[in-house]
Amino acid sequence: MMREFFKGIDKITYEGPKTNNPLSFRYYNPDEIVGGKTMRQQLRFAMSYWHTMCGEGSDMFGRGTIDKSFGGNTPMEIFKNKAYAAFEIMDKLDIDFFCFHDRDIAPEYATLRETNAGLDAVTVLLKDLMKQYNKKLLWGTANNFSNPRYMHGAGTSCSADAFCFAAAQIKKALEITTELGGEGYVFWGGREGYDTLLNTDMGLELDNMARLMKLSVEYARSIGFQGDFYIEPKPKEPTKHQYDFDVATVMGFLRKYGLEKDFKMNIEANHATLAQHTFQHELRVARVNGVFGSIDANQGDLLLGWDTDQFPTNVYDTAMCMYEVIKAGGFTKGGLNFDAKVRRASFEGADIFHGYIAGMDAFALGLKIADRLIVDGRIDQFVEDRYQSYKTGIGADIVAGKATMDDLEKHALALGDVVSLKSGRQEYLENIVNSIMFQ
Ligand code: XLS
Ligand code: CA
Ligand code: CA
Protein backbone atom coordinates (compact mmCIF):
# COMPACT_ATOMS: atom_id res chain seq x y z
CA MET A 1 0.00 0.00 0.00
CA MET A 2 1.52 3.26 -1.09
CA ARG A 3 1.69 6.13 1.33
CA GLU A 4 -0.77 8.96 0.73
CA PHE A 5 0.64 12.47 1.16
CA PHE A 6 -2.48 14.47 0.39
CA LYS A 7 -5.12 12.83 2.52
CA GLY A 8 -8.65 14.06 2.12
CA ILE A 9 -8.11 15.06 -1.50
CA ASP A 10 -9.66 12.68 -3.98
CA LYS A 11 -9.17 12.59 -7.72
CA ILE A 12 -10.23 15.90 -9.21
CA THR A 13 -12.90 15.38 -11.85
CA TYR A 14 -14.98 17.50 -14.18
CA GLU A 15 -18.26 18.56 -12.58
CA GLY A 16 -19.22 21.42 -14.89
CA PRO A 17 -19.58 25.18 -14.33
CA LYS A 18 -22.44 24.94 -11.87
CA THR A 19 -20.72 22.88 -9.20
CA ASN A 20 -19.93 24.29 -5.78
CA ASN A 21 -17.15 21.81 -5.16
CA PRO A 22 -13.87 23.76 -5.13
CA LEU A 23 -11.90 20.56 -5.67
CA SER A 24 -13.35 19.86 -9.11
CA PHE A 25 -12.93 21.13 -12.65
CA ARG A 26 -15.60 23.47 -13.94
CA TYR A 27 -14.24 23.81 -17.48
CA TYR A 28 -11.46 21.27 -17.97
CA ASN A 29 -13.19 18.18 -19.28
CA PRO A 30 -10.31 16.05 -20.59
CA ASP A 31 -12.29 13.99 -23.09
CA GLU A 32 -14.40 16.79 -24.51
CA ILE A 33 -13.59 17.61 -28.13
CA VAL A 34 -12.66 21.22 -28.83
CA GLY A 35 -11.31 22.19 -32.23
CA GLY A 36 -11.11 18.61 -33.46
CA LYS A 37 -9.08 17.19 -30.57
CA THR A 38 -9.75 16.33 -26.95
CA MET A 39 -8.96 18.99 -24.41
CA ARG A 40 -6.31 16.66 -23.03
CA GLN A 41 -4.58 16.55 -26.43
CA GLN A 42 -4.94 20.27 -27.00
CA LEU A 43 -3.64 21.40 -23.64
CA ARG A 44 -0.97 18.86 -22.67
CA PHE A 45 -0.71 20.07 -19.07
CA ALA A 46 2.50 19.56 -17.14
CA MET A 47 3.48 19.89 -13.49
CA SER A 48 6.63 21.86 -12.69
CA TYR A 49 8.67 19.81 -10.24
CA TRP A 50 10.65 22.77 -8.87
CA HIS A 51 7.75 24.85 -7.65
CA THR A 52 5.42 22.03 -6.71
CA MET A 53 7.82 19.59 -5.10
CA CYS A 54 10.62 21.90 -3.94
CA GLY A 55 9.33 25.48 -3.54
CA GLU A 56 8.96 26.19 0.15
CA GLY A 57 7.63 29.72 -0.03
CA SER A 58 10.79 31.61 0.87
CA ASP A 59 11.29 35.10 -0.52
CA MET A 60 13.89 37.87 -0.26
CA PHE A 61 12.52 38.82 3.15
CA GLY A 62 11.68 35.55 4.81
CA ARG A 63 12.32 31.86 4.96
CA GLY A 64 10.06 29.08 3.84
CA THR A 65 6.53 28.61 5.08
CA ILE A 66 5.77 25.30 3.37
CA ASP A 67 7.39 22.02 4.34
CA LYS A 68 8.42 20.01 1.28
CA SER A 69 10.38 17.27 2.99
CA PHE A 70 7.39 14.91 2.71
CA GLY A 71 8.36 13.18 5.92
CA GLY A 72 11.87 12.26 4.73
CA ASN A 73 14.92 12.55 6.97
CA THR A 74 18.00 12.02 4.81
CA PRO A 75 18.38 13.99 1.58
CA MET A 76 17.81 10.86 -0.50
CA GLU A 77 14.72 9.92 1.49
CA ILE A 78 13.32 13.42 1.03
CA PHE A 79 13.81 13.32 -2.73
CA LYS A 80 12.35 9.85 -3.06
CA ASN A 81 9.31 10.99 -1.10
CA LYS A 82 9.04 14.02 -3.37
CA ALA A 83 8.83 11.61 -6.29
CA TYR A 84 6.02 9.58 -4.70
CA ALA A 85 4.17 12.77 -3.77
CA ALA A 86 4.67 14.19 -7.29
CA PHE A 87 2.94 11.23 -8.89
CA GLU A 88 0.14 11.37 -6.35
CA ILE A 89 -0.42 15.02 -7.31
CA MET A 90 -0.34 14.32 -11.06
CA ASP A 91 -2.61 11.34 -10.61
CA LYS A 92 -5.16 13.25 -8.54
CA LEU A 93 -5.13 16.22 -10.93
CA ASP A 94 -5.13 14.07 -14.07
CA ILE A 95 -2.00 15.84 -15.37
CA ASP A 96 -0.14 13.76 -17.96
CA PHE A 97 3.29 15.41 -17.98
CA PHE A 98 5.94 16.86 -15.71
CA CYS A 99 9.10 18.97 -16.13
CA PHE A 100 12.20 19.13 -13.96
CA HIS A 101 15.69 20.50 -13.43
CA ASP A 102 18.33 17.97 -12.44
CA ARG A 103 18.56 19.51 -8.97
CA ASP A 104 14.80 19.31 -8.37
CA ILE A 105 14.70 15.53 -8.46
CA ALA A 106 17.78 14.48 -6.48
CA PRO A 107 20.05 15.91 -3.80
CA GLU A 108 23.23 17.81 -4.60
CA TYR A 109 26.13 16.21 -2.74
CA ALA A 110 29.70 17.42 -2.19
CA THR A 111 30.97 16.21 -5.56
CA LEU A 112 29.51 15.97 -9.03
CA ARG A 113 30.28 12.27 -9.08
CA GLU A 114 28.17 11.60 -5.98
CA THR A 115 25.43 13.90 -7.19
CA ASN A 116 25.27 12.02 -10.49
CA ALA A 117 25.01 8.70 -8.66
CA GLY A 118 22.07 10.11 -6.69
CA LEU A 119 20.45 11.25 -9.91
CA ASP A 120 20.78 7.76 -11.34
CA ALA A 121 19.05 6.27 -8.31
CA VAL A 122 16.08 8.67 -8.52
CA THR A 123 15.85 8.24 -12.29
CA VAL A 124 15.21 4.54 -11.79
CA LEU A 125 12.40 5.39 -9.36
CA LEU A 126 10.90 8.04 -11.67
CA LYS A 127 10.92 5.62 -14.57
CA ASP A 128 9.04 3.10 -12.47
CA LEU A 129 6.48 5.63 -11.30
CA MET A 130 5.98 6.94 -14.84
CA LYS A 131 5.09 3.45 -15.96
CA GLN A 132 2.87 2.77 -13.00
CA TYR A 133 0.92 6.02 -13.34
CA ASN A 134 1.17 6.40 -17.11
CA LYS A 135 2.84 9.82 -16.96
CA LYS A 136 5.32 11.40 -19.35
CA LEU A 137 8.22 13.81 -19.20
CA LEU A 138 7.50 16.99 -21.16
CA TRP A 139 11.01 18.32 -20.74
CA GLY A 140 14.09 18.19 -18.61
CA THR A 141 16.75 20.81 -17.96
CA ALA A 142 19.86 21.49 -15.91
CA ASN A 143 19.92 23.95 -13.03
CA ASN A 144 22.98 25.95 -14.02
CA PHE A 145 22.24 28.91 -11.80
CA SER A 146 21.81 27.94 -8.12
CA ASN A 147 25.26 26.67 -7.23
CA PRO A 148 27.67 29.53 -6.28
CA ARG A 149 30.10 28.30 -8.94
CA TYR A 150 27.75 29.86 -11.48
CA MET A 151 27.93 33.34 -9.95
CA HIS A 152 29.48 34.68 -13.18
CA GLY A 153 27.23 32.60 -15.40
CA ALA A 154 27.44 29.05 -16.70
CA GLY A 155 28.03 28.90 -20.46
CA THR A 156 28.87 32.61 -20.29
CA SER A 157 31.10 32.43 -17.23
CA CYS A 158 34.55 34.06 -17.33
CA SER A 159 35.77 30.78 -15.81
CA ALA A 160 36.41 27.89 -18.19
CA ASP A 161 36.14 25.57 -15.16
CA ALA A 162 32.59 26.77 -14.52
CA PHE A 163 31.86 26.30 -18.23
CA CYS A 164 32.96 22.66 -17.90
CA PHE A 165 30.78 22.10 -14.85
CA ALA A 166 27.83 23.52 -16.78
CA ALA A 167 28.58 21.19 -19.70
CA ALA A 168 28.90 18.20 -17.39
CA GLN A 169 25.56 18.99 -15.80
CA ILE A 170 23.84 19.41 -19.16
CA LYS A 171 25.37 16.16 -20.39
CA LYS A 172 23.96 14.28 -17.42
CA ALA A 173 20.58 16.05 -17.65
CA LEU A 174 20.37 15.09 -21.32
CA GLU A 175 21.13 11.48 -20.47
CA ILE A 176 18.39 11.38 -17.84
CA THR A 177 15.91 13.18 -20.06
CA THR A 178 16.61 10.66 -22.84
CA GLU A 179 16.35 7.73 -20.42
CA LEU A 180 12.93 8.96 -19.30
CA GLY A 181 11.72 9.48 -22.88
CA GLY A 182 11.53 13.26 -22.47
CA GLU A 183 9.78 15.06 -25.33
CA GLY A 184 11.90 18.16 -24.91
CA TYR A 185 14.91 19.79 -23.34
CA VAL A 186 14.97 23.41 -22.20
CA PHE A 187 17.76 25.94 -22.01
CA TRP A 188 16.88 28.77 -19.70
CA GLY A 189 19.91 30.99 -19.27
CA GLY A 190 19.58 31.49 -15.53
CA ARG A 191 22.71 33.57 -15.14
CA GLU A 192 23.61 33.97 -18.80
CA GLY A 193 23.74 37.74 -18.85
CA TYR A 194 25.52 40.49 -17.00
CA ASP A 195 25.18 42.87 -14.09
CA THR A 196 27.64 45.42 -15.47
CA LEU A 197 29.30 45.83 -18.85
CA LEU A 198 32.38 47.15 -17.06
CA ASN A 199 33.57 43.61 -16.38
CA THR A 200 32.01 41.86 -19.37
CA ASP A 201 33.32 40.58 -22.71
CA MET A 202 29.91 40.29 -24.32
CA GLY A 203 31.20 38.96 -27.64
CA LEU A 204 33.08 36.06 -26.06
CA GLU A 205 30.22 35.27 -23.69
CA LEU A 206 27.71 34.99 -26.54
CA ASP A 207 30.12 32.92 -28.65
CA ASN A 208 30.62 30.56 -25.71
CA MET A 209 26.92 30.26 -25.00
CA ALA A 210 26.40 29.23 -28.62
CA ARG A 211 29.32 26.77 -28.40
CA LEU A 212 27.77 25.09 -25.38
CA MET A 213 24.39 24.83 -27.08
CA LYS A 214 25.88 23.36 -30.22
CA LEU A 215 27.87 20.79 -28.26
CA SER A 216 24.76 19.90 -26.24
CA VAL A 217 22.59 19.37 -29.30
CA GLU A 218 25.25 17.21 -30.96
CA TYR A 219 25.71 15.13 -27.84
CA ALA A 220 21.97 14.69 -27.29
CA ARG A 221 21.44 13.45 -30.84
CA SER A 222 24.42 11.11 -30.49
CA ILE A 223 22.78 9.36 -27.52
CA GLY A 224 19.42 9.06 -29.28
CA PHE A 225 17.50 12.01 -27.84
CA GLN A 226 14.61 12.66 -30.21
CA GLY A 227 12.83 15.47 -28.44
CA ASP A 228 12.74 19.17 -29.25
CA PHE A 229 15.19 21.73 -27.91
CA TYR A 230 13.81 24.95 -26.52
CA ILE A 231 15.26 28.25 -25.45
CA GLU A 232 13.22 30.06 -22.82
CA PRO A 233 13.56 33.83 -23.15
CA LYS A 234 13.62 36.10 -20.11
CA PRO A 235 14.83 39.70 -20.10
CA LYS A 236 16.18 40.06 -16.58
CA GLU A 237 16.29 38.40 -13.14
CA PRO A 238 18.56 37.18 -11.72
CA THR A 239 20.92 39.23 -13.88
CA LYS A 240 20.14 42.79 -14.84
CA HIS A 241 20.28 41.84 -18.50
CA GLN A 242 19.75 38.28 -19.69
CA TYR A 243 21.08 37.50 -23.16
CA ASP A 244 17.91 35.56 -24.08
CA PHE A 245 15.93 38.77 -23.60
CA ASP A 246 12.85 37.92 -25.67
CA VAL A 247 11.87 35.78 -28.65
CA ALA A 248 13.13 38.31 -31.20
CA THR A 249 16.52 38.64 -29.49
CA VAL A 250 16.88 34.86 -29.29
CA MET A 251 16.05 34.57 -33.01
CA GLY A 252 18.91 36.96 -33.78
CA PHE A 253 21.25 34.88 -31.63
CA LEU A 254 20.20 31.57 -33.18
CA ARG A 255 20.58 32.91 -36.71
CA LYS A 256 24.00 34.41 -36.03
CA TYR A 257 25.30 31.04 -34.84
CA GLY A 258 23.44 28.86 -37.34
CA LEU A 259 21.33 27.23 -34.62
CA GLU A 260 17.90 28.26 -35.88
CA LYS A 261 17.05 24.77 -37.15
CA ASP A 262 17.83 23.18 -33.79
CA PHE A 263 15.75 25.26 -31.41
CA LYS A 264 12.19 26.30 -30.77
CA MET A 265 10.91 28.58 -28.01
CA ASN A 266 9.54 27.81 -24.60
CA ILE A 267 7.53 30.94 -23.89
CA GLU A 268 6.65 31.97 -20.37
CA ALA A 269 3.85 34.47 -19.75
CA ASN A 270 5.59 36.15 -16.82
CA HIS A 271 8.82 36.56 -18.80
CA ALA A 272 6.91 38.16 -21.66
CA THR A 273 5.52 40.87 -19.41
CA LEU A 274 8.90 41.39 -17.74
CA ALA A 275 10.16 42.19 -21.26
CA GLN A 276 7.34 44.74 -21.64
CA HIS A 277 5.53 42.52 -24.12
CA THR A 278 2.19 40.84 -23.90
CA PHE A 279 2.21 37.04 -23.65
CA GLN A 280 0.42 36.99 -27.00
CA HIS A 281 3.14 39.12 -28.59
CA GLU A 282 5.85 36.63 -27.69
CA LEU A 283 3.74 33.75 -28.97
CA ARG A 284 3.04 35.62 -32.21
CA VAL A 285 6.71 36.39 -32.81
CA ALA A 286 7.53 32.72 -32.31
CA ARG A 287 4.70 31.65 -34.58
CA VAL A 288 5.59 33.91 -37.51
CA ASN A 289 9.21 32.78 -37.24
CA GLY A 290 8.24 29.10 -37.20
CA VAL A 291 9.75 28.48 -33.76
CA PHE A 292 6.72 28.06 -31.55
CA GLY A 293 7.37 25.12 -29.24
CA SER A 294 6.14 25.02 -25.67
CA ILE A 295 4.70 27.22 -22.96
CA ASP A 296 5.42 27.97 -19.32
CA ALA A 297 1.92 28.77 -18.16
CA ASN A 298 1.75 31.32 -15.37
CA GLN A 299 1.14 35.00 -14.87
CA GLY A 300 3.00 37.87 -13.26
CA ASP A 301 1.71 40.77 -11.24
CA LEU A 302 2.16 43.93 -13.26
CA LEU A 303 2.25 46.06 -10.12
CA LEU A 304 5.00 44.02 -8.48
CA GLY A 305 7.03 43.81 -11.66
CA TRP A 306 9.14 40.77 -10.89
CA ASP A 307 8.88 37.09 -11.72
CA THR A 308 6.05 36.13 -9.38
CA ASP A 309 5.17 32.90 -11.22
CA GLN A 310 1.51 32.87 -10.21
CA PHE A 311 -0.98 30.32 -11.37
CA PRO A 312 -2.72 31.76 -14.45
CA THR A 313 -6.27 32.93 -13.88
CA ASN A 314 -6.63 35.72 -16.43
CA VAL A 315 -8.94 34.21 -19.02
CA TYR A 316 -8.41 37.00 -21.53
CA ASP A 317 -4.70 36.08 -21.61
CA THR A 318 -5.28 32.33 -21.77
CA ALA A 319 -7.78 32.85 -24.62
CA MET A 320 -5.34 34.91 -26.69
CA CYS A 321 -2.61 32.40 -25.87
CA MET A 322 -4.66 29.45 -27.08
CA TYR A 323 -5.64 31.46 -30.16
CA GLU A 324 -1.94 31.66 -31.06
CA VAL A 325 -1.35 28.01 -30.19
CA ILE A 326 -4.18 26.87 -32.46
CA LYS A 327 -2.97 29.18 -35.24
CA ALA A 328 0.50 27.68 -34.85
CA GLY A 329 -1.03 24.26 -35.54
CA GLY A 330 -1.28 23.21 -31.89
CA PHE A 331 1.36 21.61 -29.72
CA THR A 332 3.51 18.88 -31.19
CA LYS A 333 6.05 17.92 -28.52
CA GLY A 334 5.41 20.92 -26.29
CA GLY A 335 2.69 21.58 -23.79
CA LEU A 336 1.46 23.84 -21.02
CA ASN A 337 3.85 23.57 -18.12
CA PHE A 338 2.57 25.29 -15.00
CA ASP A 339 5.74 27.12 -14.04
CA ALA A 340 3.71 28.51 -11.17
CA LYS A 341 3.70 28.44 -7.41
CA VAL A 342 1.13 29.13 -4.76
CA ARG A 343 1.64 32.28 -2.67
CA ARG A 344 3.76 32.13 0.45
CA ALA A 345 0.72 32.32 2.69
CA SER A 346 -1.00 29.46 0.86
CA PHE A 347 0.98 26.92 2.81
CA GLU A 348 -1.42 24.00 3.06
CA GLY A 349 -1.38 20.94 0.82
CA ALA A 350 -4.83 21.73 -0.56
CA ASP A 351 -3.53 25.05 -1.92
CA ILE A 352 -1.44 23.23 -4.51
CA PHE A 353 -4.62 21.64 -5.83
CA HIS A 354 -6.53 24.92 -5.84
CA GLY A 355 -3.66 26.49 -7.79
CA TYR A 356 -3.56 23.79 -10.46
CA ILE A 357 -7.33 23.65 -10.76
CA ALA A 358 -7.40 27.42 -11.27
CA GLY A 359 -4.74 27.23 -13.98
CA MET A 360 -6.22 24.22 -15.76
CA ASP A 361 -9.71 25.69 -15.77
CA ALA A 362 -8.41 29.07 -16.97
CA PHE A 363 -6.69 27.35 -19.90
CA ALA A 364 -9.70 25.14 -20.62
CA LEU A 365 -11.82 28.27 -20.85
CA GLY A 366 -9.13 29.96 -22.94
CA LEU A 367 -9.11 27.03 -25.37
CA LYS A 368 -12.88 27.08 -25.74
CA ILE A 369 -12.96 30.82 -26.32
CA ALA A 370 -10.09 30.70 -28.80
CA ASP A 371 -11.86 27.97 -30.72
CA ARG A 372 -15.05 30.04 -30.79
CA LEU A 373 -13.13 33.10 -32.03
CA ILE A 374 -11.74 31.04 -34.87
CA VAL A 375 -15.03 29.34 -35.74
CA ASP A 376 -16.80 32.72 -35.63
CA GLY A 377 -14.32 33.90 -38.25
CA ARG A 378 -14.99 37.63 -38.05
CA ILE A 379 -11.54 38.50 -36.76
CA ASP A 380 -9.73 36.38 -39.32
CA GLN A 381 -11.93 37.80 -42.04
CA PHE A 382 -11.21 41.33 -40.91
CA VAL A 383 -7.46 40.77 -41.03
CA GLU A 384 -7.75 39.09 -44.40
CA ASP A 385 -9.72 42.03 -45.81
CA ARG A 386 -7.40 44.59 -44.25
CA TYR A 387 -4.53 43.49 -46.50
CA GLN A 388 -6.57 43.16 -49.69
CA SER A 389 -4.41 45.71 -51.48
CA TYR A 390 -1.61 43.12 -51.67
CA LYS A 391 -3.79 40.66 -53.58
CA THR A 392 -3.91 42.47 -56.91
CA GLY A 393 -2.12 45.12 -58.93
CA ILE A 394 0.98 46.79 -57.51
CA GLY A 395 0.45 45.08 -54.12
CA ALA A 396 0.60 41.64 -55.71
CA ASP A 397 3.75 42.69 -57.58
CA ILE A 398 5.37 43.80 -54.28
CA VAL A 399 4.58 40.48 -52.64
CA ALA A 400 5.84 38.54 -55.66
CA GLY A 401 9.10 40.51 -55.56
CA LYS A 402 8.43 41.80 -59.07
CA ALA A 403 8.06 45.54 -58.38
CA THR A 404 11.12 47.77 -58.72
CA MET A 405 11.68 51.11 -57.00
CA ASP A 406 10.77 52.74 -60.34
CA ASP A 407 7.46 50.86 -60.43
CA LEU A 408 6.65 51.92 -56.89
CA GLU A 409 7.44 55.56 -57.60
CA LYS A 410 5.37 55.45 -60.77
CA HIS A 411 2.43 54.09 -58.86
CA ALA A 412 2.72 56.72 -56.12
CA LEU A 413 3.03 59.56 -58.62
CA ALA A 414 -0.03 58.36 -60.52
CA LEU A 415 -2.08 58.45 -57.32
CA GLY A 416 -1.60 62.18 -57.00
CA ASP A 417 -2.37 62.95 -53.40
CA VAL A 418 -4.96 60.28 -52.80
CA VAL A 419 -4.50 57.13 -50.72
CA SER A 420 -7.72 55.41 -49.84
CA LEU A 421 -7.48 54.00 -46.31
CA LYS A 422 -9.95 52.18 -44.12
CA SER A 423 -10.41 52.21 -40.34
CA GLY A 424 -8.42 49.78 -38.20
CA ARG A 425 -11.64 49.15 -36.23
CA GLN A 426 -9.88 48.20 -32.99
CA GLU A 427 -12.93 48.87 -30.82
CA TYR A 428 -15.21 46.88 -33.12
CA LEU A 429 -12.81 43.93 -32.84
CA GLU A 430 -12.51 44.21 -29.08
CA ASN A 431 -16.29 44.11 -28.85
CA ILE A 432 -16.31 40.92 -30.88
CA VAL A 433 -13.84 39.30 -28.52
CA ASN A 434 -15.88 40.24 -25.45
CA SER A 435 -19.15 39.16 -27.00
CA ILE A 436 -17.64 35.76 -27.79
CA MET A 437 -16.02 35.41 -24.39
CA PHE A 438 -19.18 36.18 -22.48
CA GLN A 439 -21.84 34.73 -24.77
C1 XLS B 1 12.95 31.00 -14.19
C2 XLS B 1 12.58 30.07 -15.25
C3 XLS B 1 12.96 28.62 -15.00
C4 XLS B 1 12.88 27.83 -16.27
C5 XLS B 1 13.54 26.51 -16.23
O1 XLS B 1 12.57 32.16 -14.21
O2 XLS B 1 11.22 30.24 -15.48
O3 XLS B 1 12.18 28.06 -14.01
O4 XLS B 1 11.56 27.67 -16.70
O5 XLS B 1 14.87 26.60 -15.89
CA1 CA C 1 9.90 29.16 -16.84
CA1 CA D 1 9.35 32.62 -14.26
Side-chain angles (χ1 to χ4, degrees):
M1 182 58 194
M2 207 163 303
R3 182 161 156 204
E4 197 182 16
F5 293 91
F6 298 90
K7 291 216 173 70
I9 293 174
D10 299 329
K11 285 204 184 202
I12 312 296
T13 57
Y14 174 71
E15 293 187 7
K18 295 218 162 64
T19 184
N20 280 327
N21 177 7
L23 290 170
S24 69
F25 297 120
R26 290 183 165 73
Y27 307 102
Y28 181 55
N29 186 9
D31 299 323
E32 186 179 329
I33 306 283
V34 180
K37 287 190 248 176
T38 64
M39 294 180 97
R40 184 189 295 283
Q41 290 164 332
Q42 292 275 23
L43 296 164
R44 291 169 61 88
F45 289 130
M47 183 201 80
S48 69
Y49 216 96
W50 51 102
H51 286 310
T52 310
M53 309 321 301
C54 307
E56 299 193 327
S58 60
D59 68 13
M60 303 275 263
F61 300 93
R63 58 181 177 272
T65 56
I66 313 171
D67 181 9
K68 294 278 172 78
S69 62
F70 297 100
N73 291 311
T74 65
M76 191 40 97
E77 211 175 270
I78 291 172
F79 277 92
K80 287 195 168 165
N81 285 356
K82 281 184 198 294
Y84 291 117
F87 283 80
E88 183 184 329
I89 292 173
M90 285 186 269
D91 184 49
K92 287 185 169 173
L93 282 163
D94 202 0
I95 290 180
D96 293 332
F97 296 90
F98 64 106
C99 303
F100 65 73
H101 302 83
D102 49 2
R103 298 296 173 258
D104 307 332
I105 58 168
E108 185 162 19
Y109 294 110
T111 68
L112 190 60
R113 208 178 291 279
E114 289 169 90
T115 303
N116 283 350
L119 269 172
D120 287 335
V122 181
T123 301
V124 171
L125 173 62
L126 290 177
K127 205 172 171 182
D128 251 32
L129 290 167
M130 286 169 74
K131 223 169 139 192
Q132 189 181 323
Y133 284 93
N134 190 26
K135 302 293 174 197
K136 287 172 273 185
L137 176 60
L138 191 69
W139 52 259
T141 188
N143 177 331
N144 284 354
F145 43 89
S146 293
N147 191 297
R149 71 169 69 101
Y150 299 123
M151 67 172 76
H152 300 297
T156 64
S157 176
C158 50
S159 155
D161 289 347
F163 184 99
C164 293
F165 266 104
Q169 247 186 272
I170 293 171
K171 179 173 178 288
K172 186 73 187 166
L174 285 167
E175 289 163 5
I176 295 169
T177 302
T178 306
E179 172 71 14
L180 296 177
E183 301 198 13
Y185 186 89
V186 163
F187 286 81
W188 171 61
R191 292 185 194 274
E192 314 296 29
Y194 61 81
D195 289 321
T196 173
L197 286 173
L198 290 171
N199 65 12
T200 300
D201 182 342
M202 186 192 276
L204 177 65
E205 291 198 2
L206 286 166
D207 289 352
N208 281 349
M209 189 162 96
R211 288 183 179 113
L212 185 54
M213 286 182 181
K214 197 162 190 305
L215 286 166
S216 303
V217 170
E218 282 166 6
Y219 179 72
R221 295 306 182 211
S222 82
I223 60 166
F225 175 69
Q226 288 175 359
D228 283 345
F229 290 100
Y230 307 111
I231 293 185
E232 181 180 324
K234 184 175 183 182
K236 56 186 168 190
E237 212 197 287
T239 68
K240 139 179 153 161
H241 179 96
Q242 307 255 138
Y243 290 132
D244 296 331
F245 195 92
D246 59 4
V247 175
T249 310
V250 174
M251 285 311 299
F253 169 86
L254 292 175
R255 286 178 180 143
K256 174 173 177 190
Y257 295 101
L259 290 165
E260 68 274 18
K261 298 248 167 2
D262 295 313
F263 287 89
K264 295 178 183 172
M265 302 289 157
N266 181 41
I267 296 171
E268 179 177 316
N270 203 157
H271 297 180
T273 51
L274 281 175
Q276 308 284 324
H277 300 309
T278 61
F279 185 21
Q280 189 183 6
H281 167 94
E282 286 293 81
L283 293 161
R284 181 71 63 91
V285 177
R287 166 154 82 88
V288 301
N289 281 288
V291 292
F292 168 71
S294 202
I295 288 177
D296 269 10
N298 62 13
Q299 70 188 30
D301 184 318
L302 295 180
L303 297 184
L304 289 177
W306 65 81
D307 196 15
T308 60
D309 286 348
Q310 286 164 243
F311 276 94
T313 53
N314 183 324
V315 176
Y316 203 97
D317 284 345
T318 60
M320 296 332 273
C321 166
M322 290 314 297
Y323 179 83
E324 296 299 326
V325 173
I326 294 172
K327 291 281 180 188
F331 290 113
T332 46
K333 294 187 175 177
L336 286 163
N337 167 46
F338 287 106
D339 190 353
K341 58 185 174 197
V342 295
R343 297 305 84 193
R344 188 165 185 267
S346 303
F347 63 94
E348 294 174 5
D351 291 309
I352 294 175
F353 291 85
H354 292 303
Y356 274 96
I357 291 168
M360 291 164 80
D361 266 348
F363 266 94
L365 269 171
L367 168 66
K368 288 182 154 191
I369 294 162
D371 178 58
R372 292 209 296 265
L373 282 170
I374 290 167
V375 171
D376 174 88
R378 276 175 290 173
I379 292 184
D380 284 343
Q381 191 60 54
F382 186 87
V383 175
E384 177 78 16
D385 293 346
R386 189 162 180 242
Y387 296 90
Q388 270 308 320
S389 71
Y390 288 95
K391 296 273 157 54
T392 55
I394 189 72
D397 288 347
I398 292 170
V399 171
K402 280 197 266 174
T404 65
M405 287 300 271
D406 283 335
D407 297 334
L408 302 179
E409 183 191 45
K410 208 168 118 210
H411 186 86
L413 289 172
L415 287 173
D417 229 6
V418 195
V419 183
S420 68
L421 297 174
K422 283 188 190 151
S423 167
R425 291 268 189 273
Q426 181 170 335
E427 298 75 11
Y428 157 80
L429 295 164
E430 287 167 344
N431 282 336
I432 292 179
V433 173
N434 278 357
S435 70
I436 289 174
M437 273 185 85
F438 299 105
Q439 67 186 207

